[in-house]
Amino acid sequence: MTRRDCVLRVVSAFSAAELLGAASPLTPVDQAGFRELVTSHKGRILLVDFWATWCAPCREEMPKLVSLAGRYAKQVDLLTISCDEPEAAVKAAAFVDQNHALSPRFIRQAKDDDAFINSIDPKWSGALPALFVFDRNGRQAQSFIGETNMGQLEAAIKRLLNA
Amino acid sequence: MKVVSFLFSALLAASSLVSAQEFHVGSTLPDFTLQQLNGSPAQFSSLKGPVTVVMFISVQCPVSNSYNERMNALYQDYSPKGVRFVAINANRTEPADAVAQHAREHNFQFAVYKDPDNAMADRFGASVTPETYVIDSRGMIRYHGSIDDSQNASRVNRNRLRLALDAVLAGQTPPQTETKAFGCTIKKVQKATP
């Protein structure tokens, strides 16, 4: 799945909901889907934000992440992946809408959270918020577990842009 | 230049995950000191039983709170079998009086201790709430991870901690010795990097 296919598929799926004024539903993603997403963003710097509606630091930092990614939008993409339970999916969708996070926006839908977390990074405990930075080759370049230091994140982006 | 830059990035990536973790599954625990909610010290050696569950929990974390009833049920089911429960609050943002009030409100049957400066959380490598450890009669960590596989009790398929306890009580190896789950970060004090 290319990035363009991914966006088109989600945009068409979202159009009806958007016309009705409802929050755009989040797209489910599992381990395989996540790897495809990273691959489809090769050539650009990719930030992946794992968050949840129950996570206060996640809610606080999302607008800052959207703003920072927006300043580098020509070369940087930000993906948001909600780790909420399915019953909170509507609330999560409303939150990312409210924060103008770029589409497509995702919600993890893995049969096994343990395997899902390990597939992202075996060293990650599953603690949220968690932000992973991928370079233009789709390789994980840095991670921020817990509250993200925006200064350090911007420095990492600049480093990768100059690499 | 690119090689240097890549190496620098790689080092940064590694450093963001470095912790002072000392104990792993298979480690034998030394004695250590916790703090009772009245401020008095408590030695772990005086709290442990033939089998001990150490649980890092939180007052404010919604995920930890979604397990309050399940933690009480675990206590009720396993304390008659000789399992001791040691709950630890390592969040710098949650003082002892708030921890005590939270324990009363949720009718915790087990004692909760504070971990000043998250010293034990660091040594255990605990970074999330809830996060649990099963320790056998020799003081060896036999299981580390989540209580079960769903924050929503109605969707639990695998009671990981119960399976580990049943195995250790039977003198066997748990079916899974390390598991993970989404949870809140433990709000730790800032420490200088060694």
Side-chain angles (χ1 to χ4, degrees), chain A residues 54 57 83 85-87 108 112-114 116-118 121-129 135 139-143 145-147 159-160 163, chain B residues 2 5-6 8-10 12-14 16-17 61-63 92 127-128 131 149-152 155 160 176 178-185 187:
Chain A
W54 47 257
C83 299
E85 296 289 313
E87 55 269 25
R108 73 95 175 79
D112 180 349
D113 280 345
D114 198 22
F116 182 74
I117 292 165
N118 278 325
D121 186 336
K123 293 177 181 169
W124 180 27
S125 66
L128 298 180
D135 67 15
R139 286 193 296 250
Q140 186 186 309
Q142 194 159 348
S143 61
I145 310 299
E147 293 165 51
R159 225 171 16 249
L160 290 173
Chain B
K2 281 188 176 179
S5 178
F6 173 75
F8 184 57
S9 301
L12 276 173
S16 66
L17 293 164
C61 171
V63 182
R92 63 171 161 72
S127 62
V128 61
E131 186 164 351
D149 63 355
S150 179
Q151 185 181 339
N152 185 327
R155 264 203 301 278
R160 292 162 166 172
Q176 288 180 287
E178 293 261 14
T179 65
K180 295 179 180 180
F182 293 109
C184 311
T185 46
K187 308 301 182 284

Side-chain angles (χ1 to χ4, degrees), chain B residues 56 88-92 114-126 186-191:
Chain B
F56 286 88
I88 301 176
N89 183 305
N91 279 319
R92 63 171 161 72
K114 277 300 293 181
D115 176 22
D117 297 334
N118 42 264
M120 293 319 306
D122 287 347
R123 295 178 77 184
F124 274 90
I186 293 176
K187 308 301 182 284
K188 297 184 177 182
V189 297
Q190 296 291 323
K191 293 178 181 175

Side-chain angles (χ1 to χ4, degrees), chain A residues 42-92:
Chain A
K42 275 187 180 178
R44 296 173 62 80
I45 311 298
L46 177 63
L47 315 178
V48 184
D49 175 35
F50 289 90
W51 72 286
T53 55
W54 47 257
C55 167
C58 303
R59 296 196 307 270
E60 285 167 19
E61 74 179 28
M62 187 180 287
K64 298 173 192 167
L65 290 173
V66 170
S67 172
L68 179 59
R71 291 206 300 277
Y72 293 90
K74 287 183 180 174
Q75 293 161 296
V76 175
D77 292 326
L78 168 67
L79 296 182
T80 59
I81 301 181
S82 162
C83 299
D84 282 288
E85 296 289 313
E87 55 269 25
V90 172
K91 188 179 173 186

Side-chain angles (χ1 to χ4, degrees), chain A residues 82-111:
Chain A
S82 162
C83 299
D84 282 288
E85 296 289 313
E87 55 269 25
V90 172
K91 188 179 173 186
F95 185 80
V96 286
D97 260 16
Q98 180 190 328
N99 282 284
H100 310 294
L102 292 177
S103 292
R105 296 80 61 88
F106 298 89
I107 186 165
R108 73 95 175 79
Q109 192 177 73
K111 287 180 182 171

